[in-house]
Structure formats: C-alpha cells, structure tokens
C-alpha cells in the first residue's frame, strides 16, 4: 500500500462515455453537466437532449448517431466528457475518441440481453488499454441484487468488476447507496446531492461482507493489504483509496458504481471517483508511446462540419500548449494554420486564445486535417500515435440524386460526411451510380438523411449491382467478314476465330496462328481489340471471362482494309459465335465468416442456407469467450441485406467478413431473374 497511485492526478481530463445502445449514456451526460452547473437543468432525452446528440437523425431514431463533446468544471478542475453512440453500427465513432481519452465510463444496465454488446465495448477498451469505471445504471428499475447483476455482467469483461457501492433499500425500493470505501450511506434526492446518513443497523452485516470482498480483490495486487486482512487489521482508509486509484489506472480492476442517470442518483460519487482516481494526460501520453518533453502534440478525435462556422477538428492537447494561429503539421507532412480555438459544450462554442496540456478543444478551419491525425506545432512531423484502419463494411447502397443538377453537389457533400465519419466508404461506379458502404442499414439511412437535412440533396437509393459475368461451355470456329462500299475507299476485314472455354478463373487469352500473311501483322492487334471490345458486354450484357480466342485465318484488301474494319470483323465473328458456345451467366461466390455469440450460432446456421449459403463449419472464435465463427460460401447477390437478418437474430451484435472465393454458374430461376432485371435496366 502506501502511495502506489502516486497521488491524485490534477489538470484537465478527458472521459469517454460508452456502453450498449439505450443504456442511458446521453442521459448520464446530461446528469453530469447538470450536477456540475454546465447546464441549468437535466432534460429527458426523449424531449431533446440539451447537449447530447440532438441532430434531426438522432431525434428521429431516438439514438445517438455521433459522438458529442462537452467540457465542464468540477471542484475547480476541467473535465471533458465525450458521449459515444452505443449502436454497433456507429461504434467506429468511439475509436478515435478513445485513443486520446484518459478514462472510459462504461454505462451498463441489469439486462442479460445486452451482455454481447457490452463485451464488444469491453474488448475495444482492452485492445486500446483504456482504464475504465462501470456505472451500473437504472438500478432503481432492477429487481435483481447488485452482486447477482455483477455475476451476470462479468463474462463480458476479462478484467474483474469491483463493486464499490451497494444499494440501500427501504420496503424493497432502492433509496440510496452505501459506499464500501468510505463506509458511509447516502440517501438519494432526485436531481440533487445525496444526503449523508449512518449505515442502518440492519444493513451493517451486508456492508461488512461486501466491503471485505472488495478488499480481498484489492489485496490481489497489494501484499501489505493481504497481510492486514489475514491479521484482521483494519487498513487505513487513505490507503484503500490509494489502492482503488492504482488498480483502476493499471487496468487491474473495473470499479463499479451504481445509480440512476434519469433521476440524477449516484452522479456526485461518479464525479468524485473520476476526479480522484482517473489518470491524466501524462498517463495517456505514456499509453500512446509519446516520449516526455518535445513539442506540442495533439490528437484529432473527431471532425465536425458546422452549418455556418465551417470545419472543426476536435483534438486533445497531449503535450505542450496550443494557441490560435499556430502552424501545425501532421505525421505525413500536411501542414495548416489554426483559425479559431474553441471549447465545446454540445453545439455551443466558447472562443479561446490558447489551450494547455490535457485540454480538449476544437480547432477551426483545418481543411486538410482528418480524424485520427496526430498534430505537432511547428514544422517537424510527429510520429502517428494512434494509427487505425476502419472495419470492413457489411452493407452498401447505390445512390442517385433525385435532381440531375445535384450530381456534383452530391460528391462534395458525401466527401464532407466521410470526413466526419471515416467508416463511411464512397465509390463512384462507371455506371454513374455512387455506392456508399458502411456498418448497417441504420448507418447508411442516417447518411442519406443527413444529405437531405444538412445539404438539401434528396437521393434515390437501391441495391448495388452484382458483378455478374458470362462464360462459355464449349468451343466453335466462326468467320466474321466486314465489307462496306460507300464511294471512295471502302471497308474490308475478314477473320476466322477459333473460340474455346478456359478453366474457371483464367480470364481471357488471345493468340494467332496466321500463316502466309492472310491477315497482315499490323491488323492482328486490331482483331484482338475488337474481341476485347465485344467481351466487355457479351450475349447477356455481362463481361465474358474464361475464354480463349485464336485468330486462325482471314483475308484483307490492299486498299479497303483498316484497323477499324478488322475490329468490326472480330466483333461480328464473336457475336455470331457466342450462341453456339452455350453461354452461361457466372455469379460471384463469397467466403464469409460470421462472428456471433455462441447462444445465437444455431440461428445463424439456420439463416445462411435460406440464402443459398453452403455452411463449411463453425468453431469457437479465438480469444473471444462465448463467441463462435461460422464459415460459409454464399453468392454475393444474397449478401446484400444479410447483416440486417443477422443482427436481428443476435441482439444487434453479429457481424461478418466477406472475401471473393470463386465464380459459379447460375442457371434456372435465378438466371431468369438476373436476365429479366438486366433487360428492364436496359
């Protein structure tokens, strides 16, 4: 014991609020800001959050769809809270935020169905090495004991959950809490500071037992405390608090506090725990591998395009000091000058002349700066502190603007949305379609709604086209003669093409066996060009693959032959030959890996065959207790909305990874449907 934690960490702190969907994160943010006086009163989220995500999309869907930043003060210290969306479809918002945070407050509730979602969040925090506190919300609505709830939640976390408070009940209703470290009772008062009270006599035995369990867990990391417990010596209270802080910062335990964000209960104890126990910017620098000393370093956590103020880059000052007008440079050498420095409270901005170490601020009009960038003041590029790659998309739609005049505007607006949400992938197709890919149906629905509400662009969406191909089953030989006389020089080209199928995946092969100069050498490339041009859109309108074409014979005219004439002759030969070659449609087949909680594996294996999936097997997901990986082969055409059905069957947490495996022949009803759709599109 002693001074393991090294004392309380002072200075500005940055805290992420994370947790499963609808666990009460935004409500908790409101409660924290109301208790610290940053807002006058706590608003119910249903009526529109004061500082949380209050976008039209968030209100319409009753869920946060982007991270919200709010800075406040508590007991003379600056605290920035960043409320992160809980849905798996918007989970990527949290990763650049978490990279530069000191602490995460994980909001959970006594709901067994949300354990898989909680496990995903805990795993992300483990991978990033983020210390965390768990706020067990909605305890006033739970009929289960808190310790039973912790046993239920523990499988979601590799790190032990450590109960710091137990509920105080009266007539079966939770009326307060008992702090196990302070050995003090608190009587809840709605949206006000709790009233300190002695521990009731009938609760003392339960408190002693729960406190001893807490101390036993702390003793796992403190030999002196272990000896004191064995000798039945009461450890000093200050040293218990020191152990709690040290184990939190080391990631050895996850302290669990209880309350009700909606009623404002347990909020002050959470704030005091953050103030006393949370690490600071120096610890975060160490976690990110930033050496002490040196220049001013910032990490960009989020990008915001405001309606009137332009682009804002939300960044954490990890070292040094930054002032308005400072020249900054990124890890890869992009440079810019800060034009405006702001503290954020939701949508409200307060202009600042400068910001010091640990502060979280918004930097104005850095057009070339992206979410995730590491910035340094001056001209020497810093090392990238938190390089990351976006998870693979699982859902895609094709977009067309309702008005043709919006085509150019659509591209620019999507680019801004992608800056705000780096998990959004944009591809411009040759067909004129713009395909956007993301992490679920709601993710892309919100994107299209933002185009409408933020940029006044109404779009039509559809499923992206599947890259079907054609091939042939047998070979043939075909002459193609292009002859045209229209006064002056005519056109003449004559070729004989031998066509045969190739093994699947071979592509296209062109050869010639011309002898005697029946087709002059200078025209042979034109023949190949004509064949290739035809293969772009074969008999059924799809690219032709796995085919070999040999130029074996032909003839020419010394005056009328030309490159164009031989190209036309080659196309004519191919067009007439294809019906005799038994052409077939090929569809892409993907290998997919579905990641699912084990108790939903049976549902997943029932879904896949209904989409023409061939299950290859399933096994435990390596390193993921209680999760499986199901492997299957599935036509790409069946994958379009697969994620919607998978999420519905797995409490919203399943995902998958798909890679191209092979092309397979398509026949029967499916082939007819593809042809009908192609003909309608034409």
């Amino acid at each position: 014991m002693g001074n393991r934690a090294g004392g309380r960490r002072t200075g500005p702190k940055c805290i992420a609020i994370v947790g499963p969907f609808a666990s009460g994160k935004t409500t908790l943010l409101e409660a924290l800001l109301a208790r610290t006086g940053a807002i006058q009163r706590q608003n119910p989220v249903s009526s529109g959050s004061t500082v949380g995500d209050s976008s039209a999309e968030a209100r319409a869907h009753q869920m946060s769809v982007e991270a919200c930043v709010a800075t406040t003060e508590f007991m003379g210290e600056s605290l920035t809270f960043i409320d992160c969306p809980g849905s798996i479809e918007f989970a990527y918002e949290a990763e650049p935020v978490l990279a530069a945070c000191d602490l995460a407050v994980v909001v959970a509730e006594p709901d067994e169905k949300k354990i898989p979602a909680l496990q995903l969040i805990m795993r992300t925090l483990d991978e990033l090495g983020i210390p965390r506190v768990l706020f067990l919300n909605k305890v006033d609505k739970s009929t289960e004991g808190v310790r039973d709830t912790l046993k239920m939640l523990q499988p979601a976390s590799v790190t032990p959950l450590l109960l710091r408070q137990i509920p105080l009940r009266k007539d079966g209703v939770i009326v307060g809490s008992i702090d196990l470290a302070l050995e003090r009772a608190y009587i809840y008062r709605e949206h006000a500071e709790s009233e300190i009270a002695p521990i009731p006599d009938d609760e003392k035995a339960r408190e002693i037992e729960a406190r001893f369990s807490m101390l036993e867990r702390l003793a796992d990391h403190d030999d002196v405390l272990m000896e004191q417990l064995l000798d039945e010596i009461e450890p000093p209270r200050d040293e218990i608090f020191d152990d709690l802080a040290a184990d939190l910062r080391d990631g050895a335990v996850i302290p669990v506090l209880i309350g009700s964000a909606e009623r404002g209960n347990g909020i002050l104890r959470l704030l005091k725990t953050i103030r006393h126990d949370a690490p600071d910017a120096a610890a975060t620098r160490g976690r990110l591998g930033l050496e002490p000393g040196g220049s001013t370093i910032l990490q960009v956590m989020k990008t915001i395009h405001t309606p009137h103020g332009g682009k804002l880059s939300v960044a954490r000052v990890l070292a040094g000091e930054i002032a308005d007008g400072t020249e900054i440079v990124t890890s890869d050498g992009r440079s810019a000058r800060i034009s405006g420095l702001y503290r954020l409270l939701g949508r409200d901005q307060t202009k600042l002349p400068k910001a010091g170490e640990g502060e979280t601020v918004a930097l104005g009009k850095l057009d070339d700066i992206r979410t995730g960038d590491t910035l340094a003041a001056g001209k020497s590029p810093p090392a990238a502190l938190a390089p990351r790659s976006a998870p693979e998309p699982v859902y895609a739609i094709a977009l067309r603007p309702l008005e043709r005049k919006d085509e150019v505007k659509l591209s620019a607006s999507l680019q801004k949305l992608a800056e705000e949400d780096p998990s959004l992938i944009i591809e411009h197709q040759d067909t004129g379609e713009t395909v956007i890919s993301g992490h679920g149906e709601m993710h892309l629905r919100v994107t299209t709604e933002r185009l409408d509400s933020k940029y006044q662009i109404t779009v039509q969406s559809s499923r992206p086209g599947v890259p079907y191909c054609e091939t042939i089953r047998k070979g043939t030989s075909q002459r193609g003669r292009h002859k045209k006389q229209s006064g002056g020089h005519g056109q003449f080209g004559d070729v004989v093409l031998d066509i045969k199928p190739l093994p699947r995946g071979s592509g296209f092969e062109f050869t010639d066996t011309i002898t005697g100069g029946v087709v002059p050498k200078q025209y042979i490339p034109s023949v190949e060009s004509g064949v290739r041009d035809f293969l772009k859109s074969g008999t059924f309108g799809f690219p032709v693959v796995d085919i070999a074409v040999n130029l074996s014979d032909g003839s020419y005219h010394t005056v009328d032959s030309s490159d164009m004439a031989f190209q036309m002759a080659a196309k004519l030969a191919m067009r007439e030959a294809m019906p005799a070659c038994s052409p077939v449609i090929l569809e892409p087949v993907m290998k997919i890996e579905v990641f699912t909680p084990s108790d939903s594996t049976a549902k997943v294996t029932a879904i896949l065959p209904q989409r023409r999936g061939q299950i290859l097997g399933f096994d435990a997901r390596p390193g993921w207790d209680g999760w499986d990986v199901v492997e299957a082969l599935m036509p790409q055409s069946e994958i379009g909305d697969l994620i919607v059905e998978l999420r519905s069957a797995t409490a919203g947490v399943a995902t998958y990874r798909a890679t191209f495996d092979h092309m397979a022949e398509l026949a029967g009803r499916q082939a007819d449907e593809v042809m009908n759709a192609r003909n309608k599109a034409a």
Side-chain angles (χ1 to χ4, degrees):
M1 296 180 81
N3 194 24
R4 290 178 56 220
R8 184 172 67 82
R9 301 290 192 262
T10 58
K13 295 184 175 69
C14 186
I15 299 98
I17 302 177
V18 297
F21 169 66
S23 56
K25 299 177 297 300
T26 302
T27 304
L28 178 61
L29 174 64
E30 289 267 328
L32 289 164
L33 296 175
R35 187 55 51 86
T36 57
I39 58 177
Q40 290 186 345
R41 63 187 179 87
Q42 179 180 338
N43 274 350
V45 173
S46 57
S47 65
S49 172
T50 307
V51 293
D53 183 1
S54 57
S55 63
E57 298 76 38
R59 292 195 305 271
H61 302 296
Q62 289 293 293
M63 62 188 296
S64 296
V65 297
E66 62 180 333
C68 178
V69 184
T71 298
T72 184
E73 285 198 0
F74 177 65
M75 296 180 70
E77 293 188 12
S78 174
L79 300 177
T80 296
F81 293 99
I82 306 183
D83 175 23
C84 300
S87 167
I88 189 174
E89 299 193 24
F90 301 97
Y92 192 67
E93 274 274 313
E95 292 202 18
V97 168
L98 288 166
C101 276
D102 303 320
L103 180 79
V105 174
V106 182
V107 184
E109 56 183 306
D111 186 348
E112 191 172 14
K113 294 178 182 177
K114 293 188 177 180
I115 290 178
L118 181 61
Q119 187 178 16
L120 290 177
I121 293 162
M122 290 295 198
R123 187 167 186 90
T124 298
L125 296 173
D126 285 336
E127 290 172 352
L128 296 172
I130 311 291
R132 71 215 75 156
V133 171
L134 189 142
F135 183 74
L136 186 57
N137 195 21
K138 306 180 186 180
V139 292
D140 54 322
K141 299 177 181 178
S142 174
T143 58
E144 298 291 328
V146 170
R147 282 183 284 184
D148 289 337
T149 299
L150 250 61
K151 288 179 183 177
M152 177 183 72
L153 297 178
Q154 185 61 68
S157 173
V158 175
T159 307
L161 302 177
L162 179 71
L163 191 61
R164 276 200 59 171
Q165 296 171 312
I166 58 174
L168 188 61
R169 299 178 189 268
K170 184 176 181 180
D171 299 327
V173 177
I174 294 178
V175 295
S177 67
I178 299 174
D179 189 295
L180 300 177
L182 285 170
E183 295 187 283
R184 187 180 296 164
Y186 293 87
I187 307 300
Y188 291 148
R189 294 189 298 173
E190 194 156 323
H191 302 299
E193 187 174 340
S194 298
E195 179 184 339
I196 300 174
I199 298 173
D201 292 340
D202 57 355
E203 295 283 358
K204 284 184 178 178
R206 193 166 65 93
E207 183 271 335
I208 290 170
E209 179 189 354
R211 185 171 189 271
F212 187 77
S213 295
M214 180 188 75
L215 295 177
E216 276 189 315
R217 177 64 69 184
L218 294 175
D220 290 341
H221 310 283
D222 188 331
D223 292 339
V224 174
L225 177 58
M226 178 65 76
E227 290 178 11
Q228 289 174 336
L229 295 181
L230 291 173
D231 294 338
E232 298 185 359
I233 298 173
E234 178 63 26
R237 184 175 295 170
D238 287 348
E239 294 183 356
I240 293 172
F241 276 110
D242 185 70
D243 267 350
L244 285 166
D247 287 353
L248 165 64
R249 295 172 195 170
D250 292 343
V253 299
I254 301 173
V256 177
L257 303 173
I258 66 173
S260 168
E262 187 176 25
R263 296 177 179 274
N265 295 335
I267 304 304
L268 187 60
R269 300 312 310 161
L270 175 60
L271 281 166
K272 288 188 174 180
T273 297
I274 291 169
R275 182 177 184 270
H276 185 276
D277 297 350
D280 58 2
T284 301
R285 287 199 303 270
R287 173 169 56 77
L288 293 171
L290 182 61
E291 297 293 331
S295 64
T296 296
I297 299 292
L298 300 91
Q299 185 68 23
V300 180
M301 310 164 87
K302 181 173 173 59
T303 300
I304 305 170
H305 283 278
T306 64
H308 307 294
K311 180 178 175 179
L312 293 178
S313 301
V314 179
R316 180 90 191 278
V317 184
L318 293 171
E321 185 178 88
I322 196 78
D324 192 3
T326 302
E327 285 273 357
I328 54 93
V329 63
T330 66
S331 304
D332 56 4
R334 286 170 284 125
S335 61
R337 182 183 295 275
I338 297 171
S339 179
L341 195 64
Y342 308 93
R343 177 177 291 119
L344 298 181
L345 182 63
R347 292 161 293 176
D348 295 337
Q349 305 169 17
T350 303
K351 197 164 182 16
L352 303 171
K354 61 182 180 179
E357 181 178 302
E359 290 192 72
T360 302
V361 291
L363 315 175
K365 299 181 181 178
L366 300 180
D367 291 338
D368 292 332
I369 302 306
R370 300 187 290 263
T371 299
D373 280 343
T374 302
L375 312 178
K379 297 187 178 180
S380 299
L385 294 181
R388 72 210 207 301
S389 57
E392 294 185 29
V394 294
Y395 192 75
I397 56 174
L399 298 181
R400 285 185 183 274
L402 201 60
E403 304 283 345
R404 287 186 63 86
K405 63 182 178 62
D406 287 333
E407 287 181 356
V408 174
K409 188 179 175 184
L410 174 63
S411 180
S413 300
L414 281 173
Q415 195 58 47
K416 289 182 178 180
L417 291 179
E419 285 187 4
E420 293 181 317
D421 176 9
S423 68
L424 186 67
I425 297 173
I426 303 165
E427 297 175 289
H428 300 287
Q429 307 289 343
D430 293 338
T431 59
E433 284 184 334
T434 298
V435 175
I436 59 172
S437 305
H439 302 290
E441 182 184 29
M442 183 61 71
H443 183 202
L444 299 191
R445 186 188 302 175
V446 166
T447 299
T448 59
E449 290 170 352
R450 282 177 173 166
L451 284 171
D452 194 355
S453 64
K454 202 168 183 178
Y455 299 105
Q456 291 74 54
I457 301 173
T458 304
V459 294
Q460 295 175 316
S461 63
S462 60
R463 292 181 66 171
V466 175
Y468 293 105
C469 293
E470 297 176 32
T471 193
I472 57 175
R473 287 176 173 162
K474 61 183 184 181
T476 192
S477 291
Q478 180 68 45
R479 178 178 291 277
R481 176 174 289 183
H482 176 69
K483 184 177 181 180
K484 190 173 183 181
Q485 193 70 41
S486 57
H489 287 308
Q491 299 179 35
F492 182 85
D494 177 34
V495 298
V496 176
L497 302 180
D498 302 326
I499 304 166
K500 66 178 182 179
L502 290 176
R504 194 76 66 241
S506 300
F508 168 62
E509 179 182 293
F510 180 83
T511 56
D512 77 271
T513 52
I514 294 297
T515 58
V518 293
V519 176
K521 286 185 177 180
Q522 69 264 30
Y523 296 134
I524 292 176
S526 300
V527 175
E528 180 179 355
S529 178
V531 172
R532 287 184 179 275
D533 199 33
F534 172 82
L535 295 182
K536 292 177 182 177
S537 182
T539 305
F540 304 128
F542 302 110
V544 183
V545 297
D546 303 337
I547 186 172
V549 177
N550 178 65
L551 172 62
S552 60
D553 202 358
S555 62
Y556 73 103
H557 189 279
T558 54
V559 175
D560 292 344
S561 288
S562 65
D563 289 332
M564 181 59 68
F566 273 98
Q567 284 186 38
M568 297 300 293
K571 288 182 188 179
L572 180 63
M574 291 300 299
R575 188 178 305 115
E576 293 180 353
M578 281 296 284
C581 294
S582 297
V584 293
I585 297 175
L586 294 177
E587 66 173 345
V589 176
M590 315 296 282
K591 182 177 181 181
I592 65 170
E593 296 174 289
V594 180
F595 305 103
T596 174
S598 300
D599 57 8
S600 299
T601 300
K603 295 179 184 177
V604 170
T605 55
I607 289 170
L608 302 183
Q610 295 171 8
R611 293 172 173 264
R612 297 193 287 140
Q614 176 190 348
I615 295 175
L616 303 176
F618 67 90
D619 206 345
R621 187 177 185 182
W624 286 67
D625 186 35
W627 282 67
D628 287 338
V629 183
V630 181
E631 294 187 352
L633 295 175
M634 180 178 287
Q636 183 177 337
S637 61
E638 301 285 351
I639 292 179
D641 60 352
L642 172 64
I643 193 64
V644 178
E645 196 170 0
L646 290 176
R647 296 254 167 89
S648 177
T650 60
V653 296
T655 190
Y656 71 83
R657 181 167 56 221
T659 53
F660 174 77
D661 192 80
H662 66 279
M663 300 294 287
E665 287 189 18
L666 186 66
R669 179 176 58 83
Q670 283 88 13
D672 292 340
E673 289 174 356
V674 170
M675 284 303 305
N676 290 336
R678 180 74 180 187
N679 293 335
K680 285 181 181 178

